[in-house]
Structures are given as structure tokens and as C-alpha cells.
Amino acid sequence: QEQLVESGGGLVQPGGSLRLSCATSGFTLDYYSIGWFRQAPGKEREGVSCISNSDGNTYYADSVKGRFTISRDNAENLVYLQMNSLKPEDTAVYYCAAVRGTVVASTFLWRRTYDYWGQGTQVTVSS
């Protein structure tokens, strides 16, 4: 069955960087769009970024634009989220999610766009 496993989280100082990985299995990554979401304590889960399947278009929430970069390696069944210039407000559990087909700019932030979810990895930005 479809599985997604996040890794790469940890504790980092403000201004630092982390790279999250989303390892996928049970499906052909080429056909799927992958999104990253995050959930801070006491807050709703929010969309962060998405990379679409066929055209590889990328989308970012305004809060991370210019700091985060999403990429994919279909041969290795991996999707990455490079996070630079991290801020304390980036602290959250980060989740990757998958859906078969193309995701567009108007829907990439919606949780209901995606069918499969990982268990999350904790990112803490603190001095």
C-alpha cells in the first residue's frame, strides 16, 4: 500500500537550515504530486509547498517563499524540502502527502487535495 515516511527533522538555531526527506513506497512516484504540510502546537495543519507530477511545477506558501525549496528524485522515490533561514515560527511537525495526478496553484494548500499522508517529523527552531 501507499506509504510515506518523513525524516530529517531536528533542532536548529534561527537562521539555520534543514533538509527534510519524504521516502515513498507502494506507488510510482512519477504519477503523483507531493505536498508538504506542517502543524504547530495548538494550530491547524497548514500547507507549505507542493511539487506537481508531470510538469514538476512547484508552489509555496507565502510564509516560506524564498526560503524553502521542494524537489523530487523519482528514481529514488524521494521528495525533499530544503529549508533555509529558519525562524522560530517554522517550528512544527512536518508532513508529506501524496495524490495521484497534477496539483495546481489554487488547490495545493488544501489538506483534502491529498490522499496519503506520512506520520511527520518534528522541526524545532530555537536558540
Side-chain angles (χ1 to χ4, degrees):
Q1 71 275 20
E2 296 82 355
Q3 285 193 316
L4 300 95
V5 179
E6 303 91 340
S7 62
L11 173 64
V12 63
Q13 291 188 340
S17 298
L18 281 175
R19 188 178 78 160
L20 304 184
S21 299
C22 174
T24 68
S25 61
F27 59 94
T28 303
L29 182 57
D30 306 54
Y31 302 139
Y32 284 71
S33 298
I34 303 296
W36 283 96
F37 286 71
R38 66 187 181 186
Q39 187 166 16
K43 294 189 175 182
E44 294 287 320
R45 192 173 298 188
E46 63 174 2
V48 173
S49 183
C50 174
I51 185 163
S52 193
N53 62 337
S54 57
D55 53 19
N57 281 345
T58 57
Y59 308 102
Y60 299 94
D62 288 344
S63 58
V64 306
K65 203 170 292 183
R67 300 188 297 123
F68 290 11
T69 303
I70 191 170
S71 61
R72 63 195 294 157
D73 184 340
N74 289 342
E76 296 294 329
N77 296 313
L78 288 166
V79 176
Y80 302 102
L81 186 68
Q82 177 68 43
M83 306 187 297
N84 299 328
S85 303
L86 283 162
K87 306 174 181 180
E89 50 265 43
D90 295 317
T91 295
V93 178
Y94 282 71
Y95 301 88
C96 59
V99 62
R100 185 180 175 99
T102 301
V103 173
V104 296
S106 59
T107 61
F108 83 97
L109 292 173
W110 299 349
R111 291 180 60 179
R112 64 180 182 269
T113 294
Y114 304 88
D115 294 322
Y116 310 104
W117 292 81
Q119 294 300 305
T121 185
Q122 176 71 47
V123 171
T124 302
V125 185
S126 175
S127 55

